Amino acid sequence: HDRRGCEPLHSGRDYVLLFILSFTCGLQNAVISSASGAVIRTTHLTGLTTDFGIGLVRIWSTLKNPHKEELFATWCRVGIYFSFIGGSLISAFLFLNVQFYGFFMPLFISLFAAIRLRSIQLKNL
């Protein structure tokens, strides 16, 4: 351990874990950006919250005739918030039970979503 209480990276397992985390984050961001036509950003909650606020204002200002795309994007953002909350709870449980191997779950979910999205896109060509 160093002075801050962090372990230095030294084993192959550490580098595999970093790869899985980086790959999963990139894949998840690419899948959502592709599926939403780059309307929804999922990398950081700050950008998502800004987009959510702007979307609410747009909906409120056009309440008599709201744009379907804006309603869809706003509901997707609400879903992302709940996914973050649910994912945090599930991740805490997984970490207590299987340690870092729990990171395989978001990897497999993201891979499944990417493959499914690609098959839908190919079907619509």
Side-chain angles (χ1 to χ4, degrees), residues 53-123:
I54 291 169
L56 288 178
V57 169
R58 287 181 182 157
I59 291 169
W60 184 263
S61 66
T62 61
L63 207 50
K64 293 182 182 178
N65 190 19
H67 293 88
K68 290 181 183 179
E69 295 85 14
E70 193 64 52
L71 286 170
F72 173 76
T74 300
W75 278 111
C76 285
R77 292 176 187 118
V78 170
I80 292 168
Y81 284 132
F82 283 108
S83 295
F84 268 98
I85 293 167
S88 298
L89 295 172
I90 291 168
S91 296
F93 174 78
L94 282 174
F95 182 78
L96 291 173
N97 291 289
V98 295
Q99 310 287 291
F100 292 110
Y101 294 110
F103 287 118
F104 282 106
M105 189 173 110
L107 172 65
F108 293 138
I109 290 171
S110 295
L111 282 172
F112 173 78
I115 292 167
R116 181 74 177 118
L117 176 64
R118 185 68 180 151
S119 69
I120 290 170
Q121 289 175 337
L122 290 175
K123 198 181 298 184

Side-chain angles (χ1 to χ4, degrees), residues 2-48:
D2 66 8
R3 287 177 284 157
R4 295 171 301 196
C6 299
E7 287 184 38
L9 294 176
H10 56 78
S11 72
R13 182 197 71 153
D14 294 338
Y15 291 103
V16 169
L17 174 63
L18 285 174
F19 171 78
I20 290 170
L21 290 173
S22 299
F23 181 78
T24 302
C25 289
L27 181 63
Q28 182 264 340
N29 196 39
V31 167
I32 298 300
S33 293
S34 179
S36 71
V39 172
I40 298 173
R41 301 179 289 177
T42 61
T43 308
H44 304 285
L45 282 177
T46 54
L48 184 68

